[in-house]
Amino acid sequence: MSLVVASRRAALLVAAAGFFLLTQSHAQAQWWKRAPVDFEECADAAEKAATKAEKTAALADCNAKFAGRRKPGGGYTYYDFLQDRTFDIAGPNPTPEEQKKIDETYTAYLANQRRSNEAAQATARQQREQQEQQVQQLQQIALRTETERVPIPVERPKVQQAVGQRPKGACTKGSFSCEWPRLSESLNDLKKLFSPTPSKPAKKG
């Protein structure tokens, strides 16, 4: 009976010792396989993946877990692609307070972008209006130049009438005043026909 009890005790001691050793080895294994504290540590572990697909998946998981990146001098930096700028943060991920400041900065960034766009649109609109005004001015100048090139009709100078000459078209056709000069000339011609020209006396020798 005493041998059975002794062997049972020995078995319990061996089992206890084995459990202790197993627990210690498991704890040591957990210490070596602890979770990474930041992206860089996570990426180093991902590099040891067996296949390329596992490595890619592990790196994607690291990106999802850690937003910050280590700085050479200590601390971390966070890159916000929406603003295209970086922010200094204390840990591997922004704290709620740090995230609030980042969001406030993004709101101000959007307001500045909106003002810049409005200013650019106003400048473009002003330049377009100036160009239209310049085109109108050039068209007016061209039109005025063409108008100046066309000669203005000049009234023909009136021929000075001879003294005593009856102005042409001053009398009515068929009236006595218009017909009398021609009749007078005709009568004079008739008189010359019927009136012999007196012969010149012969010179005495």
Side-chain angles (χ1 to χ4, degrees):
M1 189 71 180
S2 60
L3 290 175
V4 174
V5 173
S7 61
R8 187 176 178 181
R9 286 178 180 177
L12 289 173
L13 289 173
V14 171
F19 179 76
F20 177 76
L21 293 174
L22 182 62
T23 303
Q24 287 295 104
S25 63
H26 183 69
Q28 289 177 357
Q30 286 294 324
W31 182 83
W32 285 110
K33 294 182 180 180
R34 64 181 175 81
V37 296
D38 56 17
F39 174 81
E40 285 71 20
E41 196 172 293
C42 183
D44 290 342
E47 289 291 337
K48 300 173 183 178
T51 63
K52 185 176 181 180
E54 291 177 356
K55 178 181 176 180
T56 302
L59 286 174
D61 188 52
C62 293
N63 274 316
K65 287 180 178 178
F66 303 105
R69 300 292 183 267
R70 285 184 197 170
K71 292 173 60 178
Y76 294 86
T77 183
Y78 169 77
Y79 173 72
D80 187 0
F81 69 93
L82 294 175
Q83 304 180 59
D84 191 22
R85 60 169 295 187
T86 57
F87 297 87
D88 290 337
I89 55 178
N93 285 307
T95 63
E97 186 65 25
E98 289 171 339
Q99 188 63 52
K100 182 180 178 181
K101 290 181 179 179
I102 293 171
D103 293 340
E104 290 174 352
T105 305
Y106 180 62
T107 302
Y109 168 81
L110 290 178
N112 290 332
Q113 287 291 101
R114 184 173 61 254
R115 284 193 294 269
S116 298
N117 291 337
E118 290 174 354
Q121 291 175 359
T123 301
R125 184 167 55 251
Q126 184 178 3
Q127 291 177 350
R128 186 169 59 252
E129 291 174 355
Q130 290 177 351
Q131 290 176 354
E132 291 175 355
Q133 290 177 357
Q134 291 176 355
V135 170
Q136 291 176 358
Q137 290 175 356
L138 291 175
Q139 288 176 347
Q140 291 175 357
I141 292 172
L143 181 62
R144 186 163 58 249
T145 304
E146 289 296 325
T147 305
E148 291 175 355
R149 288 178 181 175
V150 176
I152 300 175
V154 180
E155 185 179 359
R156 179 180 296 176
K158 295 180 179 179
V159 179
Q160 187 174 3
Q161 296 177 352
V163 177
Q165 183 179 0
R166 183 185 297 274
K168 187 177 181 181
C171 61
T172 305
K173 186 177 180 180
S175 64
F176 180 77
S177 60
C178 286
E179 297 296 332
W180 174 248
R182 288 191 301 166
L183 290 173
S184 297
E185 291 177 1
S186 299
L187 289 173
N188 289 333
D189 291 339
L190 288 173
K191 285 180 182 181
K192 288 179 181 179
L193 288 174
F194 290 103
S195 298
T197 303
S199 60
K200 292 182 182 181
K203 291 182 180 181
K204 291 180 178 185

